Amino acid sequence: LGQLLALKRPRYVRRLNLSGNRLGDSGVIALLDALSAEPAEALLALGLGVNGLGVNAAAALAAELSPSGRLTSLRELRLGGNPLGLGGALALAAPLAKASCRLSTLHLGSTAIGDAGGEAIALALVGTCASMPSASGDGGDGGCGDGGGGDGEGGDRGEPRAEVSALKSLQV
């Protein structure tokens, strides 16, 4: 698939869902390597759930989400059901801390990131909130600190909350 994308250079691929295909770290890395800058610019949503992805795939994705990466237009990233672990969470936290990150949906359900990984992601988002001109402490929709799952955990303990103008959905 990576070779096909590199060869054909489809300009209008907006959503690519490869969930449940057992790609593994090496498959995702090959896919990212094969993506030219052109189709990656058009890519808005990438589904990689349940593919056996670990820290190496997370690091490769993080590099492509960085300001110099090829996935800067990506709005939705679905990684649920992969054993990313703490290392994967730490890798993904780095681009999330950048105000240039355009993700509005990040799915990390069932990724074994644990409390420390969740905290790293939350701290990255809070740092982004603080650096954004539209940041506020009113706890609006998509706010940092609400646990991301909508279950009230984390945001109902009187902790400060900040609104994220870009990230609207975080599932951990």
Side-chain angles (χ1 to χ4, degrees):
L1 178 61
Q3 290 174 344
L4 177 64
L5 288 173
L7 179 65
K8 295 293 183 179
R9 296 182 182 233
R11 294 179 187 207
Y12 303 106
V13 174
R14 301 283 187 245
R15 303 180 72 76
L16 183 58
N17 186 359
L18 298 172
S19 297
N21 282 293
R22 299 181 188 165
L23 297 176
D25 286 356
S26 60
V28 167
I29 291 168
L31 174 70
L32 293 173
D33 286 344
L35 281 175
S36 70
E38 216 169 296
E41 279 182 18
L43 193 59
L44 300 177
L46 181 57
L48 295 172
V50 194
N51 269 300
L53 307 183
V55 69
N56 293 331
L61 285 163
E64 298 303 338
L65 288 168
S66 73
S68 62
R70 292 173 281 191
L71 296 178
T72 56
S73 64
L74 199 64
R75 301 292 192 279
E76 179 178 327
L77 180 58
R78 298 191 170 273
L79 296 172
N82 288 299
L84 300 176
L86 175 59
L90 294 175
L92 290 168
L96 291 176
K98 307 281 185 214
S100 61
C101 184
R102 300 169 104 184
L103 283 180
S104 60
T105 300
L106 177 61
H107 183 265
L108 294 172
S110 300
T111 54
I113 65 171
D115 291 344
E119 184 176 344
I121 297 287
L123 288 173
L125 294 174
V126 169
T128 303
C129 294
S131 69
M132 291 180 177
S134 63
S136 68
D138 65 4
D141 287 341
C144 298
D146 70 353
D151 58 2
E153 289 184 25
D156 297 331
R157 295 185 287 236
E159 298 169 355
R161 294 168 54 126
E163 185 175 335
V164 178
S165 64
L167 193 68
K168 300 295 182 196
S169 176
L170 172 64
Q171 182 178 358
V172 179

PDB file of all heavy atoms in Angstrom, residues 139-155:
ATOM      1  N   GLY A 139     -13.315  25.544  31.234  1.00  0.00           N
ATOM      2  CA  GLY A 139     -13.663  24.122  31.163  1.00  0.00           C
ATOM      3  C   GLY A 139     -14.650  23.807  30.068  1.00  0.00           C
ATOM      4  O   GLY A 139     -15.490  22.944  30.215  1.00  0.00           O
ATOM      5  N   GLY A 140     -14.582  24.505  28.952  1.00  0.00           N
ATOM      6  CA  GLY A 140     -15.503  24.266  27.845  1.00  0.00           C
ATOM      7  C   GLY A 140     -15.289  22.913  27.209  1.00  0.00           C
ATOM      8  O   GLY A 140     -14.405  22.158  27.578  1.00  0.00           O
ATOM      9  N   ASP A 141     -16.105  22.602  26.207  1.00  0.00           N
ATOM     10  CA  ASP A 141     -15.996  21.326  25.496  1.00  0.00           C
ATOM     11  C   ASP A 141     -14.592  21.141  24.967  1.00  0.00           C
ATOM     12  O   ASP A 141     -13.988  22.055  24.439  1.00  0.00           O
ATOM     13  CB  ASP A 141     -16.971  21.282  24.323  1.00  0.00           C
ATOM     14  CG  ASP A 141     -18.394  21.106  24.782  1.00  0.00           C
ATOM     15  OD1 ASP A 141     -18.617  20.662  25.921  1.00  0.00           O
ATOM     16  OD2 ASP A 141     -19.286  21.414  23.984  1.00  0.00           O
ATOM     17  N   GLY A 142     -14.071  19.929  25.103  1.00  0.00           N
ATOM     18  CA  GLY A 142     -12.740  19.619  24.613  1.00  0.00           C
ATOM     19  C   GLY A 142     -11.657  20.049  25.570  1.00  0.00           C
ATOM     20  O   GLY A 142     -10.500  20.069  25.219  1.00  0.00           O
ATOM     21  N   GLY A 143     -12.023  20.399  26.801  1.00  0.00           N
ATOM     22  CA  GLY A 143     -11.045  20.917  27.746  1.00  0.00           C
ATOM     23  C   GLY A 143     -10.043  19.885  28.189  1.00  0.00           C
ATOM     24  O   GLY A 143     -10.321  18.701  28.255  1.00  0.00           O
ATOM     25  N   CYS A 144      -8.848  20.338  28.478  1.00  0.00           N
ATOM     26  CA  CYS A 144      -7.820  19.481  29.048  1.00  0.00           C
ATOM     27  C   CYS A 144      -8.229  19.143  30.464  1.00  0.00           C
ATOM     28  O   CYS A 144      -8.812  19.956  31.153  1.00  0.00           O
ATOM     29  CB  CYS A 144      -6.477  20.211  29.092  1.00  0.00           C
ATOM     30  SG  CYS A 144      -5.848  20.669  27.486  1.00  0.00           S
ATOM     31  N   GLY A 145      -7.917  17.978  30.915  1.00  0.00           N
ATOM     32  CA  GLY A 145      -8.160  17.616  32.306  1.00  0.00           C
ATOM     33  C   GLY A 145      -9.468  16.917  32.557  1.00  0.00           C
ATOM     34  O   GLY A 145      -9.773  16.560  33.679  1.00  0.00           O
ATOM     35  N   ASP A 146     -10.294  16.687  31.514  1.00  0.00           N
ATOM     36  CA  ASP A 146     -11.553  16.025  31.778  1.00  0.00           C
ATOM     37  C   ASP A 146     -11.466  14.522  31.582  1.00  0.00           C
ATOM     38  O   ASP A 146     -12.474  13.847  31.577  1.00  0.00           O
ATOM     39  CB  ASP A 146     -12.684  16.619  30.928  1.00  0.00           C
ATOM     40  CG  ASP A 146     -12.566  16.282  29.450  1.00  0.00           C
ATOM     41  OD1 ASP A 146     -11.554  15.710  29.038  1.00  0.00           O
ATOM     42  OD2 ASP A 146     -13.498  16.613  28.735  1.00  0.00           O
ATOM     43  N   GLY A 147     -10.263  14.002  31.435  1.00  0.00           N
ATOM     44  CA  GLY A 147     -10.087  12.566  31.281  1.00  0.00           C
ATOM     45  C   GLY A 147     -10.304  12.104  29.865  1.00  0.00           C
ATOM     46  O   GLY A 147      -9.996  10.982  29.524  1.00  0.00           O
ATOM     47  N   GLY A 148     -10.869  12.961  29.028  1.00  0.00           N
ATOM     48  CA  GLY A 148     -11.023  12.659  27.624  1.00  0.00           C
ATOM     49  C   GLY A 148     -12.104  11.665  27.306  1.00  0.00           C
ATOM     50  O   GLY A 148     -12.599  11.627  26.219  1.00  0.00           O
ATOM     51  N   GLY A 149     -12.529  10.847  28.243  1.00  0.00           N
ATOM     52  CA  GLY A 149     -13.521   9.840  27.941  1.00  0.00           C
ATOM     53  C   GLY A 149     -14.927  10.300  28.210  1.00  0.00           C
ATOM     54  O   GLY A 149     -15.868   9.572  27.984  1.00  0.00           O
ATOM     55  N   GLY A 150     -15.103  11.513  28.737  1.00  0.00           N
ATOM     56  CA  GLY A 150     -16.427  12.012  29.004  1.00  0.00           C
ATOM     57  C   GLY A 150     -17.058  11.395  30.223  1.00  0.00           C
ATOM     58  O   GLY A 150     -18.234  11.538  30.459  1.00  0.00           O
ATOM     59  N   ASP A 151     -16.282  10.692  31.039  1.00  0.00           N
ATOM     60  CA  ASP A 151     -16.840  10.020  32.196  1.00  0.00           C
ATOM     61  C   ASP A 151     -16.682  10.843  33.469  1.00  0.00           C
ATOM     62  O   ASP A 151     -16.982  10.364  34.546  1.00  0.00           O
ATOM     63  CB  ASP A 151     -16.185   8.647  32.366  1.00  0.00           C
ATOM     64  CG  ASP A 151     -14.678   8.738  32.527  1.00  0.00           C
ATOM     65  OD1 ASP A 151     -14.129   9.845  32.555  1.00  0.00           O
ATOM     66  OD2 ASP A 151     -14.062   7.683  32.630  1.00  0.00           O
ATOM     67  N   GLY A 152     -16.210  12.071  33.345  1.00  0.00           N
ATOM     68  CA  GLY A 152     -16.088  12.940  34.497  1.00  0.00           C
ATOM     69  C   GLY A 152     -14.818  12.752  35.286  1.00  0.00           C
ATOM     70  O   GLY A 152     -14.552  13.508  36.202  1.00  0.00           O
ATOM     71  N   GLU A 153     -14.008  11.754  34.982  1.00  0.00           N
ATOM     72  CA  GLU A 153     -12.792  11.537  35.751  1.00  0.00           C
ATOM     73  C   GLU A 153     -11.786  12.624  35.439  1.00  0.00           C
ATOM     74  O   GLU A 153     -11.582  12.983  34.299  1.00  0.00           O
ATOM     75  CB  GLU A 153     -12.177  10.176  35.415  1.00  0.00           C
ATOM     76  CG  GLU A 153     -12.978   9.031  35.957  1.00  0.00           C
ATOM     77  CD  GLU A 153     -12.288   7.707  35.685  1.00  0.00           C
ATOM     78  OE1 GLU A 153     -11.064   7.704  35.523  1.00  0.00           O
ATOM     79  OE2 GLU A 153     -12.996   6.704  35.634  1.00  0.00           O
ATOM     80  N   GLY A 154     -11.142  13.127  36.456  1.00  0.00           N
ATOM     81  CA  GLY A 154     -10.067  14.082  36.274  1.00  0.00           C
ATOM     82  C   GLY A 154     -10.526  15.514  36.284  1.00  0.00           C
ATOM     83  O   GLY A 154      -9.850  16.364  36.814  1.00  0.00           O
ATOM     84  N   GLY A 155     -11.681  15.831  35.734  1.00  0.00           N
ATOM     85  CA  GLY A 155     -12.126  17.199  35.674  1.00  0.00           C
ATOM     86  C   GLY A 155     -13.048  17.595  36.796  1.00  0.00           C
ATOM     87  O   GLY A 155     -13.377  18.760  36.948  1.00  0.00           O
TER      88      GLY A 155
END
